[in-house]
Amino acid sequence: MSETDPKSVQDLTAVVQTLLQQMQDKFQTMSDQIIGRNIPPTGGMSTRIDDLEKNIADLMTQAGVEEVEGESKTHEGQESQ
């Protein structure tokens, strides 16, 4: 029976090492996902910039200033049409 004990210990060690490696891999994957959510990719930043530009355009419209370059800077020309 002493001959099977070392083999059982080796098997158990191998199983534990495999489980620890799997846990480490899953932890790394989860960490990468969390970091990815906190630091948006370029597309996420682009969306934020687009939202900011829209908000600025809305404020300019409310103030009576035209956003588009090359057109009149007030809404007077559009109101007479």
Side-chain angles (χ1 to χ4, degrees), residues 55-71:
N55 289 336
I56 291 170
D58 290 344
L59 290 171
M60 291 174 70
T61 300
Q62 290 174 8
V65 178
E66 189 64 42
E67 178 188 8
V68 181
E69 292 180 15
E71 293 184 11

Side-chain angles (χ1 to χ4, degrees), residues 26-39:
K26 287 181 182 181
F27 181 79
Q28 185 63 48
T29 300
M30 289 175 59
S31 295
D32 292 344
Q33 289 174 347
I34 290 169
I35 290 170
R37 288 185 186 137
N38 289 334
I39 303 172

Side-chain angles (χ1 to χ4, degrees), residues 18-81:
T18 301
L19 287 173
L20 288 173
Q21 184 62 46
Q22 290 173 349
M23 288 175 58
Q24 183 176 357
D25 293 344
K26 287 181 182 181
F27 181 79
Q28 185 63 48
T29 300
M30 289 175 59
S31 295
D32 292 344
Q33 289 174 347
I34 290 169
I35 290 170
R37 288 185 186 137
N38 289 334
I39 303 172
T42 304
M45 187 60 68
S46 175
T47 301
R48 288 183 177 185
I49 291 171
D50 291 344
D51 290 343
L52 180 60
E53 288 175 344
K54 181 185 178 304
N55 289 336
I56 291 170
D58 290 344
L59 290 171
M60 291 174 70
T61 300
Q62 290 174 8
V65 178
E66 189 64 42
E67 178 188 8
V68 181
E69 292 180 15
E71 293 184 11
S72 92
K73 296 291 181 189
T74 64
H75 290 290
E76 294 171 11
Q78 293 177 351
E79 292 174 1
S80 63
Q81 291 178 357

